[in-house]
Amino acid sequence: MSEAQNRLASKVGDATDHIVDGREGPVRVRVYPGVTNPLDHVRAPEGAGLVWVHGGGFTHGTLEWPEADYTARAFAARGVTVVSVDYRLCGNGVHWPAPSDDVLDAWAWTLDNAPELAIDSTRLVLGGASAGGNLVAGVMLRLIEAAGPQNAIPVGAFLAYPTLHAVQPPTPSDITSLLAGLADPEVFSPRSVLRMYENFLGGPASDGPAAAIPGIAAIEQLRGFPRTIMINNEADELRVSGEAFASNLAEAGTSIEVITEPGTEHGHLNRPEDGIAERSIDRVVEWLNRQ
């Protein structure tokens, strides 16, 4: 655990693992109960819940990563009960829709168990970071398409520096200038991102559906997408993907709030020691309070 995770561990208490009976086998989730009387933090509405999906390029990431564990504990310390999803990672024959199915099954399990988890289902949102943001947006599209009461659509979405396009929109000059100062400015180059999606899909990105590449979704497919908060990193090539998707959501009628977190590179929720992750989580809790 990082120092930041250790600080929160005593405040939040023990998380518990549960096994979801997924459509293709067991899916592990970790539940972090929201603190009922949070101190020194913005407080979430009573009964607030978050199903959380870490990133990792569809191939990496664990429930122990700061982006998963620290983020969940930080929300729980503000009164939000968090269900963190240990979805299948791509590789060794695992491709789309496996991780999406796991998130969808974890969402359904959380809805079914909301009363026991002290979650008000009308205050339950779905969120994810980076590749996890992709999975969240894709699951939203699948739920919208299903449109059945058994597939209730979340009341909100939190997308942290998401990747939503296999073929990235052009990078504007101001972001290019910021990228020049990074240790690895090519980490999310168009070629790297395309390879990431080809591995995710197990084939050409041109064959991918909108639920796997939400950035290609038609405006009509986005109608019904719930209110959304998106927090992008300032020096991050994926920022153009998030901003383009946010523009499409707005055109589809979604209430969308987009924040560019100053002074950040991609994945700042995975680096909580600098304190910026705390600021971002407070922003989301304040957004929850405006519901």
Side-chain angles (χ1 to χ4, degrees):
M1 272 193 185
S2 70
E3 182 182 342
Q5 287 169 277
N6 281 325
R7 286 199 304 269
L8 286 171
S10 59
K11 183 178 293 188
V12 173
D14 291 335
T16 57
D17 284 4
H18 303 260
I19 299 299
V20 173
D21 184 16
R23 67 196 69 195
E24 292 191 17
V27 181
R28 183 171 62 132
V29 298
R30 184 166 293 169
V31 177
Y32 299 76
V35 173
T36 55
N37 187 28
L39 301 175
D40 305 321
H41 290 301
V42 177
R43 182 185 177 123
E46 184 176 354
L50 169 68
V51 176
W52 180 248
V53 189
H54 66 76
F58 307 109
T59 60
H60 296 86
T62 71
L63 294 187
E64 285 70 41
W65 264 22
E67 192 172 74
D69 183 75
Y70 161 79
T71 301
R73 291 183 185 278
F75 274 110
R78 291 157 172 79
V80 181
T81 294
V82 180
V83 177
S84 187
V85 186
D86 191 22
Y87 60 89
R88 283 172 287 173
L89 301 175
C90 293
N92 299 317
V94 176
H95 302 287
W96 160 267
S100 179
D101 285 346
D102 292 349
V103 173
L104 194 59
D105 290 337
W107 169 255
W109 179 88
T110 305
L111 271 183
D112 289 344
N113 292 277
E116 291 78 9
L117 299 172
I119 292 174
D120 178 348
S121 61
T122 67
R123 295 190 179 278
L124 178 60
V125 304
L126 182 57
S130 195
N134 168 291
L135 295 173
V136 165
V139 162
M140 290 291 190
L141 293 176
R142 295 177 70 180
L143 290 170
I144 290 167
E145 184 178 20
Q150 75 278 13
N151 290 313
I153 297 170
V155 297
F158 166 36
L159 303 179
Y161 40 88
T163 171
L164 300 157
H165 295 80
V167 178
Q168 294 242 99
T171 304
S173 59
D174 60 330
I175 297 180
T176 300
S177 298
L178 291 168
L179 295 173
L182 302 184
D184 185 4
E186 296 296 313
V187 64
F188 292 116
S189 68
R191 180 178 299 179
S192 297
V193 170
L194 181 59
R195 284 200 302 263
M196 178 178 72
Y197 274 87
E198 288 171 343
N199 178 66
F200 174 42
L201 292 162
S206 57
D207 296 339
I213 312 174
I216 67 172
I219 300 302
E220 285 304 316
Q221 290 176 285
L222 295 173
R223 298 200 191 281
F225 206 100
R227 63 190 292 267
T228 299
I229 183 169
M230 178 184 294
I231 298 182
N232 291 321
N233 296 123
E234 185 177 30
D236 184 358
E237 198 153 7
L238 293 183
R239 183 174 137 199
V240 297
S241 178
E243 290 174 346
F245 186 69
S247 178
N248 287 346
L249 286 179
E251 186 176 345
T254 295
S255 172
I256 171 75
E257 182 174 340
V258 182
I259 297 165
T260 300
E261 200 66 84
T264 55
E265 302 172 17
H266 186 81
H268 73 286
L269 294 179
N270 230 358
R271 299 183 297 275
E273 298 302 337
D274 63 12
I276 300 176
E278 289 275 321
R279 184 172 68 202
S280 293
I281 290 165
D282 280 342
R283 293 186 196 274
V284 178
V285 174
E286 290 165 354
W287 172 81
L288 290 173
N289 277 297
R290 295 195 295 272
Q291 181 176 322

